Amino acid sequence: LVPGFRIGWIAADRAIVERVARVKKATDFATPVPLQAAVAAFLKANGDRKLRQARAEEVSLRAAAAKQALREQLPEVSWWGGAGANPLFWLHLPEGTSGRRVTEAAAARGVGVAAGEDFDPRGEDRSNVRLSVSRVERKDIGPGIAALAEAMRDVQTRSRAALAAHVL
């Protein structure tokens, strides 16, 4: 839930647990006892389950908003992802559209996506971008995807202009 709390449990042979405890003492100043007690009470009350369920519901709503915005703003783009509480989408841009350039143009408009080349084993610029809506407010998803669509179309226009200039 909160990595900074540094609270965890381990089940192992006694020798392993003792060694892990020594390493933890040498590398960590320990989590304060009141914080450990508060987290224990939170977990005992199933607060983690309630929190995870609420988070999953919110992410599902964000994914649904992204699907709607993608259909409206980028009908020429195919994609997969966004099922259930999955906030990730893999967008297949029109053939020949640079994922890297779209990523840069989107960033200039305040939208963060990851270029397909970041996921390509050879690092080749692909006509793909990865979009995540896990930390995006629902109200910002539609405008963000509209800005992404604008970025993609701008990249396509520039690419056609550069190709035309090169041919001449």
Side-chain angles (χ1 to χ4, degrees):
L1 291 172
V2 183
F5 283 177
R6 297 185 179 172
I7 297 174
W9 294 264
I10 186 170
D13 291 333
R14 182 177 194 86
I16 293 171
V17 171
E18 288 172 353
R19 185 169 181 196
V20 168
R22 282 194 305 274
V23 170
K24 184 179 182 330
K25 284 180 184 177
T27 60
D28 184 346
F29 291 111
T31 302
V33 173
L35 181 57
Q36 291 181 41
V39 171
F42 176 75
L43 294 173
K44 188 175 182 179
N46 289 321
D48 61 322
R49 288 181 181 89
K50 294 173 188 171
L51 185 64
R52 284 193 310 243
Q53 179 61 36
R55 176 76 177 139
E57 290 170 7
E58 176 58 30
V59 171
S60 290
L61 292 171
R62 291 176 185 184
K67 288 177 194 177
Q68 179 179 344
L70 286 167
R71 284 185 201 106
E72 292 171 1
Q73 300 293 329
L74 286 166
E76 68 273 33
V77 170
S78 64
W79 46 269
W80 59 264
N86 179 0
L88 299 174
F89 293 83
W90 185 256
L91 308 183
H92 303 286
L93 306 176
E95 186 70 31
T97 305
S98 166
R100 172 59 55 205
R101 288 198 175 114
V102 169
T103 298
E104 292 165 355
R109 290 166 171 83
V111 176
V113 294
E117 79 180 73
D118 294 343
F119 303 92
D120 185 86
R122 293 179 298 270
E124 293 179 12
D125 188 6
R126 299 286 179 182
S127 294
N128 302 99
V129 295
R130 181 179 154 268
L131 167 70
S132 174
V133 294
S134 65
R135 291 183 270 186
V136 180
E137 295 295 326
R138 263 187 280 160
K139 67 178 180 52
D140 297 328
I141 292 171
I145 291 176
L148 176 60
E150 180 183 289
M152 184 192 76
R153 292 180 184 114
D154 183 49
V155 166
Q156 290 174 318
T157 299
R158 289 182 194 195
S159 294
R160 283 191 295 269
L163 183 60
H166 181 71
V167 171
L168 296 176

